[in-house]
Amino acid sequence: MKTPIPDYLETLLDSVREDTSGEVADYIPELAAADPDPLGMALCTMSGRIYGAGDDRRMFSIQSVSKPFVYALALQQRGWDKVQETVSAEPSGEAFHELSLESGTNRPMNPMINAGAIAVNQLINGEDSSVDDRVEVIREFFCELAGRELQINRQLCYSELEDAERNLSIAHMLRNYKVIQDEAHDAVLSYTLQCATEINARDLAVMSATLAGGGIQPVTGKRILNPDVCRMALAVMASAGMYDAAGRWMTTVGIPAKSGVSGGLIGSLPGQLGIATFSPRLDAQGNSVRGVGIFQKLSADMGLHLMAADPYGDSALRNIHTEGDATVIRLQGKVNFSAAENILNEMETEDFGGRRIVLDIERVSSFNKVGRRMIKEALRRYREQGHDVAIYDPENILTDLVYSDGTEAETLDSLKEHSLEEKD
Ligand code: GLU
């Protein structure tokens, strides 16, 4: 059985593919000339499994999606007090390049707008660091997060610097208030090189899964950030990651997120998932049009809204047990997306031979919409491969036994008559 998740991701991409509204960012010449059509996405689970679809390997510059990661690095290197002295953590509700500071303190409002990100960039590797050393520390940090070698596209950076009056004004303003020490030009160069790191949607999914998982890179298993640092970065993403659309985003999608002008968009769902999309055309707020569409659909379909507080269910697989001519798969607890993904992955590695497959869901307390759909789809696929498949559901927890092709799942009245009782 091939897990249905990649097919689902293709369906998601298809649902937004025809939407060619929005414009590519045109204030950076290299981005203005970029192909507007690529469309890709990737998910990374807490176990480090990556699912991708479409142009998920297509490289593009990270731009503002770099901001939460560099903020996390600054917190890790310099600590909360020092970072708080430099940048506040309040949503600004303003555009990304707004020339504004917090009244009273003269700090940037948050690290997700350019003023905050330029100031945070300056904290990395200490105030006395050269631009080259600072940028190299950031690049190496991104490589660790992605679990592979990444490069900076210097040509893109220099193209952006040809017309960087806005960011230069921000840097002058920061220097005027002694938020940064570097010359304005150096501060903008350093920040723009950070933004010019080339990544793809798969890298971003793994990087955001690292934030979602409290700092352990799920593929390499290496601890890169402390859990409290990740928590702070996610909190700021939740309140300010989508610029002036942050409030609307939190109500409709409900996943801490960050967008960038090259068309990347990440979401980090605490304890569950890293998500990334790539599609270059942007809406009026500077967020990827098709990326936003995918996230809205994904969140609704999979029940991923943070405030829906579906308890995590990654231990919903109780055991897989072979008895006579049947393999019994016993589930328990709540079956949501993460739980179902985990169950399907375990089932995929199992060799059922010619045996009957019995799904025992007596101990399942609830399925959410996507959990139910994924489990049923897996059973349907096994049946299609010629397996004899049945469900034991004495409490009628599944509620609806109809498969996606309109046929119905076979149920068992009792495990006894098939001598399939649990032995433990
Ligand atoms: N390098 C871009 C800038 O500072 C990043 C902006 C963004 O991605 O939102 O203008």
Side-chain angles (χ1 to χ4, degrees), residues 27-28 63-64 67 96 114 160 167 191 195 243 259-261:
Y27 73 100
I28 302 175
Q63 298 298 341
S64 280
K67 291 171 180 171
F96 70 98
N114 285 10
E160 181 168 350
N167 282 341
Y191 160 75
C195 290
Y243 304 126
S259 63
V261 285

Side-chain angles (χ1 to χ4, degrees), residues 93-135:
E94 287 174 340
F96 70 98
H97 53 11
E98 201 58 43
L99 272 145
S100 70
L101 296 174
E102 192 177 59
S103 65
T105 66
N106 295 322
R107 294 174 302 179
M109 291 292 283
N110 65 66
M112 301 295 130
I113 54 171
N114 285 10
I118 292 170
V120 166
N121 173 283
Q122 291 289 292
L123 292 174
I124 306 300
N125 206 33
E127 281 82 355
D128 297 332
S129 176
S130 67
V131 171
D132 282 349
D133 288 350
R134 175 174 296 128
V135 169

Side-chain angles (χ1 to χ4, degrees), residues 23-38 58-61 63 153 155-156 159-160 162 261-262 278 280-282:
E23 303 291 338
V24 295
D26 58 2
Y27 73 100
I28 302 175
E30 289 259 334
L31 290 187
D35 178 1
D37 287 326
R58 173 89 163 223
M59 301 299 286
F60 58 97
S61 57
Q63 298 298 341
N153 182 342
Q155 194 185 330
L156 174 77
S159 131
E160 181 168 350
E162 274 168 29
V261 285
S262 53
F278 173 53
R281 292 190 195 86
L282 310 178

